[in-house]
Amino acid sequence: MNEMTKLKEPDVTKSDRPLPKAGVLDIAAYVPGKSKGTHGQTLHKLSSNETPLGTSSAAKAAIETVAQNLELYPDGAANELRDAIAETYGLHPDRIICGAGSDEILSFLAYAYLSPGDEAIYSEHGFLIYDIAIRAAGATPVVAPETGLKTDVDAILARVTDKTKMVFIANPNNPTGTYLPFEEVKRLHEGLPAHVLLVLDAAYGEYVRKNDYESGIELAATTQNVVMTRTFSKIYGLANLRIGWGFGPGHIIDALNRIRGPFNVSGMAIAAGIAAVKDREFVTRAVEHNDAWLPWLTGEMEKLGLQVTPSVGNFILVHFPDEDGKRAVDADAYLLERGCVLRQVGNYGLPNALRMTVGSEQANRTVLQHLKEFLGQA
């Protein structure tokens, strides 16, 4: 048998099916909060930090208008929405990018600025999307420990190396509810090399009532390496439409637009976002509701002997006793049986805590009553 007629040896380096690139299968898929109780009912869903006030009537009306022309493509650049955001916050629209939730913009940043061999830092109990975005871009996540469940600037700076290309900070942080004062954010920025991109995720920024807090607009407006992201999912009540935005230096927004899909934000989302951001009365009511019930929930939980991490968002992190039958997993099962859906946060490194959204008055009081029963205090 000559060389030409020899049978080909199988190539053992090839698979019998397509394989994802290295690192993808190391990513832990994001698991959203539960939506139903154990019997299939959804009575009080407090697992996803959704607003109890619903959606602005103006935003609903805008959606109905767009629904008459679903055959048409939306404005690929979301010009009117960017103009509305710019007018509300006093920004230049050319430095704003819109996405399918702020999650998409966080991913855009990772895809545009991280490569294999690079490192990106986030805090110990930071939003899980950071880890996913970093790994999906082929880079290596570096976790900085927190102090007292708060972002630790010194711990982050101590982990900066010549491989560091990005730092993600959720401010306020989810799921802890803690925040970093603006002076600390500036200190963090000053300690980073100029080529390292600082991403300030202010998804819950509208709820914060602290004089020493700033969402990130100032640094994003005045520096070359800071981007702030925001969402319409929380205070605006548009989570179902998936819409968010980012603000940063022109050169960064230009890079993100080059990898953004041509119609990444739907027409309904654009129209609803325009109406929502202009409805200041709705936002004011949402803030006032949170201002009333956040301290009430915190105080009532503490009266039950439960530890609550001080929160500036629209949720609280409740810590349970490390006792048989009284742990967070036990409380979660008890509440689910009674139609109250909270969020387990073991995947955030907090196995004995539950995160609870500030809900309606009825939801808040119902959860509290069930926890009294659970703890034998009713």
Side-chain angles (χ1 to χ4, degrees):
M1 185 180 291
N2 61 37
E3 203 67 29
M4 296 295 294
T5 59
K6 279 183 182 177
L7 292 176
K8 242 184 173 180
E9 292 291 328
D11 186 351
V12 296
T13 65
K14 293 183 179 179
S15 173
D16 60 354
R17 59 180 178 175
L19 295 176
K21 67 181 182 181
V24 170
L25 296 183
D26 295 328
I27 297 172
Y30 183 83
V31 180
K34 296 185 182 75
S35 297
K36 296 180 180 180
T38 55
H39 300 297
Q41 81 277 38
T42 303
L43 298 182
H44 298 298
K45 183 190 174 192
L46 303 171
S47 59
S48 299
N49 298 342
E50 298 150 335
T51 173
L53 272 63
T55 303
S56 160
S57 57
K60 291 180 180 179
I63 292 171
E64 291 175 1
T65 299
V66 176
Q68 306 308 310
N69 299 105
L70 295 181
E71 75 281 7
L72 302 178
Y73 280 104
D75 172 14
N79 286 296
E80 288 187 38
L81 176 56
R82 291 189 297 112
D83 286 343
I85 294 169
E87 181 179 354
T88 299
Y89 291 94
L91 310 175
H92 196 293
D94 289 349
R95 296 180 61 177
I96 295 171
I97 183 172
C98 295
S102 55
D103 296 357
E104 185 178 44
I105 297 166
L106 295 170
S107 294
F108 286 163
L109 288 162
Y111 301 155
Y113 288 93
L114 296 177
S115 301
D118 292 340
E119 295 178 350
I121 303 171
Y122 65 92
S123 63
E124 181 180 4
H125 303 296
F127 190 28
L128 293 177
I129 291 297
Y130 308 149
D131 185 85
I132 292 174
I134 294 164
R135 292 178 186 272
T140 301
V142 175
V143 180
E146 297 180 2
T147 300
L149 297 182
K150 294 181 179 179
T151 300
D152 187 324
V153 169
D154 293 316
I156 292 173
L157 293 176
R159 282 156 180 79
V160 174
T161 70
D162 57 0
K163 295 181 179 180
T164 305
K165 296 297 187 296
M166 191 173 296
V167 174
F168 288 95
I169 296 295
N171 198 29
N173 189 51
N174 170 31
T176 61
T178 56
Y179 78 103
L180 205 57
F182 187 43
E183 289 302 315
E184 281 293 278
V185 176
K186 288 194 290 186
R187 186 167 74 86
L188 171 60
H189 175 255
E190 290 166 0
L192 295 174
H195 68 276
V196 173
L197 178 54
L198 175 61
V199 181
L200 300 174
D201 177 359
Y204 299 92
E206 291 88 353
Y207 288 107
V208 185
R209 310 290 269 179
K210 300 290 186 180
N211 292 333
D212 59 353
Y213 173 80
E214 204 280 326
S215 65
I217 286 178
E218 181 177 323
L219 281 178
T222 58
T223 69
Q224 294 297 304
N225 65 332
V226 178
V227 172
M228 178 203 68
T229 62
R230 302 290 275 267
T231 183
F232 281 85
S233 296
K234 305 305 177 184
I235 204 165
Y236 293 109
L238 295 176
N240 199 295
L241 289 182
R242 309 307 305 125
I243 180 169
W245 59 282
F247 171 70
H251 65 93
I252 293 179
I253 301 303
D254 174 66
L256 302 187
N257 276 319
R258 292 170 185 269
I259 63 173
R260 176 181 60 81
F263 303 102
N264 65 315
V265 182
S266 74
M268 282 190 175
I270 290 171
I274 293 168
V277 79
K278 292 180 177 180
D279 191 347
R280 302 312 301 169
E281 189 273 335
F282 179 85
V283 173
T284 298
R285 283 197 295 116
V287 171
E288 290 174 348
H289 178 88
N290 204 63
D291 285 349
W293 287 101
L294 178 67
W296 184 88
L297 273 173
T298 300
E300 293 300 313
M301 292 286 184
E302 290 175 340
K303 288 178 185 177
L304 296 179
L306 299 172
Q307 179 187 349
V308 180
T309 300
S311 173
V312 296
N314 70 329
F315 57 90
I316 56 174
L317 185 68
V318 185
H319 304 266
F320 287 80
D322 188 15
E323 302 173 13
D324 289 345
K326 300 296 183 183
R327 296 186 177 92
V329 64
D330 304 310
D332 186 52
Y334 187 92
L335 292 169
L336 282 173
E337 282 286 339
R338 289 151 183 81
C340 295
V341 187
L342 276 61
R343 179 68 183 267
Q344 289 194 45
V345 285
N347 53 349
Y348 282 95
L350 298 162
N352 204 25
L354 295 178
R355 191 191 68 192
M356 176 184 172
T357 307
V358 175
S360 66
E361 177 176 357
Q362 181 185 8
N364 296 336
R365 292 187 183 279
T366 299
V367 170
L368 187 72
Q369 181 58 38
H370 288 321
L371 283 176
K372 284 181 180 178
E373 298 163 358
F374 169 73
L375 294 168
Q377 300 180 27

